[in-house]
């Protein structure tokens, strides 16, 4: 049994002499030592997903070790002179998981829980995400263990510039391109770009994406991840003969991804019945008035306290009686403890790694359709690629052009994954992993192993 490129895919760039791997159930599910996570968490989930794909594709231990192990990683100390004159020290990381298909691509996260294993997992997921939407990138990720809410804008600028200077040998428009993530934004990317450019002696907008329009950013980038989530949801619903006006939606996480996605769902006619952020949530049967919710958040900084809706916590939101659940906050929120209670028919992963391997198996057994993160939230990296292309050409596209190209790319990727899922009788996640892992492995084998 083989996993050929789906009929909807563009022609492969690898030579025709490259053989396709066969699927087998006989390869033992044993990860090489270098692939074994040291504790439970995002890395354990990522490694478990990879091990399953390796087993089905029939790759040997050497290929497994290569795909499981980051190509490069750096751990840096970041001293900060605080506004009051005192000194604080933070730890930062940058991981390039795989660069067989092109330069590394991945966000920069500022959060107090950041550690190297989390960054390794996120970088691996970026490898598969770029491959599943057929971008000429490998996967990378960065992070600093800092709570940005506790520091001034000037302090965050100094942290960003010092972090950039420490990892500068690893990054560049042909090496590794950063983008915003949790705790960072367009301004953060402008600081990274400026620090890198000043050290190189000329302006290099392609070193980051997700930067302000004034310094080479792209129209449509701020909402791209959310649009990709909505496109993926619509594609999944169409397979069941439904559309967005037919469903009720709950969105966990009301940040850069969740807030825009909730607004887009409502605009498309869906009834968004629940939303939440880190402080709490709202629930209203029949749907929330999203414009009023957004106005409330702009005024107060949280969805909490919105009049005309019942309060709900993040845990209870995950098991609400809705049709579509969108976990768009952080990883690991759907677990073996709550997967049996999920009432939604569709789970569309707006966040990276929100579903543990155990929960994924439970949801699949119950017939819940999970649109995986490496497909559902790939809209951000797709438009990041568009921004990078525009920077390389110094020619800028209209927002309508970007939206059209994003929709085409997302729907094409969904169709390719769905075709593999039907052919191989596997879940959408397994199909996305089979397709993306195979594409990375073919690129690696086509390039060969440097002595």
């Amino acid at each position: 049994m083989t996993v050929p490129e789906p009929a909807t895919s563009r022609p492969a760039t690898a030579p025709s002499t490259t053989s396709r791997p066969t699927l087998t159930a006989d390869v033992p599910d044993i990860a090489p030592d270098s692939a074994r996570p040291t504790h439970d968490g995002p890395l354990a989930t990522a490694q478990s997903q990879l091990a399953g794909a390796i087993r089905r594709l029939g790759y040997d231990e050497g290929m497994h070790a290569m795909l499981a192990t980051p190509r490069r990683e750096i751990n840096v100390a970041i001293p900060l002179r605080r506004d009051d004159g005192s000194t604080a020290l933070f730890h930062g990381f940058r991981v390039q998981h795989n660069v067989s298909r092109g330069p590394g691509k991945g966000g920069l996260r500022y959060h107090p829980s950041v550690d190297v294993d989390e960054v390794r997992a996120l970088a691996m997921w970026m490898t598969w995400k770029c491959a599943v939407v057929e971008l000429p990138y490998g996967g990378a990720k960065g992070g600093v263990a800092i709570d940005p809410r506790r520091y001034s804008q000037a302090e965050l600028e100094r942290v960003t510039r010092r972090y950039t200077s420490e990892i500068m040998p690893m990054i560049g428009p042909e090496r590794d391109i950063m983008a915003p993530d949790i705790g960072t934004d367009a301004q953060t990317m402008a600081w990274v770009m400026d620090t890198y450019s000043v050290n190189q002696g000329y302006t290099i907008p392609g070193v980051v994406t997700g930067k302000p329009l004034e310094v080479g950013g792209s129209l449509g980038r701020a909402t791209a991840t959310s649009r990709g989530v909505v496109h993926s949801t619509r594609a999944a619903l169409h397979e069941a003969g439904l559309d967005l006006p037919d469903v009720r939606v709950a969105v966990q996480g009301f940040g850069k991804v969740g807030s825009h996605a909730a607004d887009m769902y409502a605009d498309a006619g869906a009834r968004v019945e629940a939303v939440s952020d880190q402080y709490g949530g709202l629930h209203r049967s029949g749907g929330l008035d999203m414009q009023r919710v957004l106005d409330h958040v702009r005024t107060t900084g949280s969805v909490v306290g919105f009049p005309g809706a019942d309060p709900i916590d993040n845990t209870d939101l995950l098991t609400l009686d809705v049709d579509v659940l969108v976990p768009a906050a952080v990883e690991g929120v759907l677990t073996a403890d709550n997967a049996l209670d999920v009432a939604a028919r569709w789970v569309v992963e707006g966040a990276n790694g929100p579903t543990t391997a155990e929960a994924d198996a439970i949801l699949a057994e119950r017939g819940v359709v999970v649109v995986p993160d490496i497909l559902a939230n790939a809209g951000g990296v797709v438009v990041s690629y568009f921004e990078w292309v525009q920077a390389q050409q110094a020619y800028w596209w209209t927002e309508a052009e970007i939206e059209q190209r994003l929709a085409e790319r997302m729907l094409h990727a969904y169709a390719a994954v769905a075709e593999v899922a039907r052919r191989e009788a596997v879940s959408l996640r397994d199909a996305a992993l089979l397709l993306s892992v195979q594409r990375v492995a073919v690129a690696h084998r086509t390039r060969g192993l440097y002595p």
Side-chain angles (χ1 to χ4, degrees):
M1 184 167 51
T2 61
V3 184
E5 286 289 320
T8 53
S9 296
R10 289 183 290 275
T13 56
S16 59
T17 54
T18 302
S19 61
R20 297 297 190 211
T22 56
L23 291 180
T24 176
D26 299 328
V27 179
D29 186 11
I30 300 174
D33 289 343
S34 60
R36 296 183 186 278
T38 56
H39 56 76
D40 292 337
L43 185 58
T45 298
Q47 295 284 17
S48 174
Q49 292 169 355
L50 174 61
I54 290 289
R55 182 175 66 251
R56 289 189 64 89
L57 289 164
Y59 293 144
D60 61 22
E61 186 174 300
M63 179 64 79
H64 189 182
M66 193 278 295
L67 294 176
T69 306
R71 179 70 172 268
R72 301 183 189 93
E73 56 185 44
I74 187 170
N75 180 339
V76 298
I78 306 168
L80 166 68
R81 184 188 309 108
R82 300 209 59 183
D83 293 340
D84 63 6
S86 63
T87 300
L89 185 70
F90 304 96
H91 294 281
F93 313 93
R94 188 72 185 173
V95 174
Q96 293 171 0
H97 170 256
N98 189 283
V99 292
S100 293
R101 289 174 54 87
K105 185 77 185 77
L108 171 61
R109 174 174 295 193
Y110 285 0
H111 193 274
S113 70
V114 165
D115 62 24
V116 69
D117 278 347
E118 178 185 58
V119 177
R120 286 168 177 159
L122 293 167
M124 182 184 293
W125 283 324
M126 281 302 302
T127 298
W128 316 140
K129 185 181 300 184
C130 292
V132 84
V133 290
E134 298 186 89
L135 300 181
Y137 289 142
K141 204 74 174 185
V144 177
I146 184 173
D147 185 346
R149 298 169 298 179
R150 298 179 57 191
Y151 297 88
S152 71
Q153 189 83 336
E155 290 171 332
L156 292 174
E157 179 177 357
R158 292 196 287 274
V159 166
T160 301
R161 291 184 181 277
R162 183 59 180 257
Y163 170 79
T164 303
S165 68
E166 293 287 348
I167 69 165
M168 197 170 299
M170 286 182 66
I171 63 174
E174 288 84 30
R175 296 179 180 179
D176 185 350
I177 305 111
M178 273 191 275
D181 197 87
I182 293 172
T184 59
D185 56 19
Q187 180 59 69
T188 314
M189 294 302 102
W191 292 330
V192 173
M193 187 198 83
D194 183 70
T195 305
Y196 184 85
S197 298
V198 167
N199 278 272
Q200 298 299 317
Y202 60 101
T203 299
I204 308 174
V207 68
V208 295
T209 59
K211 54 193 175 292
L213 293 174
E214 295 80 4
V215 290
S218 175
L219 294 167
R221 175 59 186 87
T223 60
T225 303
S226 307
R227 287 194 183 279
V229 168
V230 175
H231 287 314
S232 298
T233 305
R234 177 168 267 143
L237 293 174
H238 280 182
E239 290 200 294
L242 300 174
D243 202 351
L244 289 172
D246 302 316
V247 298
R248 301 160 299 152
V249 180
V251 180
Q252 187 202 46
F254 210 70
K256 291 190 285 282
V257 176
S259 62
H260 291 302
D263 190 31
M264 291 172 189
Y265 282 126
D267 280 347
R271 286 159 289 163
V272 181
E273 296 198 342
V275 297
S276 67
D277 58 28
Q278 61 186 312
Y279 306 108
L282 311 170
H283 175 227
R284 182 179 182 276
S285 295
L288 296 159
D289 184 330
M290 288 312 306
Q291 287 306 308
R292 290 183 57 216
V293 173
L294 289 165
D295 289 342
H296 178 80
V297 171
R298 280 189 283 267
T299 301
T300 68
S302 172
V303 301
V304 174
F306 177 76
D310 298 321
I312 188 172
D313 63 31
N314 274 287
T315 302
D316 290 337
L317 180 145
L318 296 170
T319 57
L320 273 179
D321 181 17
V322 294
D323 304 298
V324 178
L325 172 64
V326 183
V330 294
E331 58 269 8
V333 297
L334 292 174
T335 68
D337 294 330
N338 60 14
L340 282 170
D341 298 320
V342 171
R345 290 177 58 193
W346 291 270
V347 173
V348 184
E349 296 185 330
N352 291 315
T355 309
T356 67
E358 295 85 356
D360 207 41
I362 293 170
L363 293 172
E365 185 176 347
R366 294 181 55 220
V368 177
V369 176
V370 178
V371 185
D373 48 3
I374 62 173
L375 173 61
N377 67 34
V381 74
V382 169
V383 176
S384 280
Y385 169 63
F386 295 163
E387 180 179 335
W388 179 75
V389 169
Q390 291 170 84
Q392 301 295 81
Q393 297 175 340
Y395 180 82
W396 307 103
W397 304 343
T398 67
E399 191 162 6
E401 289 175 316
I402 290 165
E403 168 54 21
Q404 178 185 354
R405 295 178 190 210
L406 171 61
E408 290 173 351
R409 181 75 64 140
M410 292 299 300
L411 295 177
H412 170 87
Y414 186 94
V417 170
E419 185 177 336
V420 172
R422 286 189 293 269
R423 181 189 303 130
E424 304 298 333
V426 296
S427 68
L428 289 175
R429 187 187 310 282
D430 287 344
L433 285 164
L434 289 172
L435 201 55
S436 57
V437 170
Q438 182 181 50
R439 286 172 176 168
V440 175
V442 168
H444 171 71
R445 285 178 168 170
T446 302
R447 291 178 58 159
L449 188 62
Y450 185 71

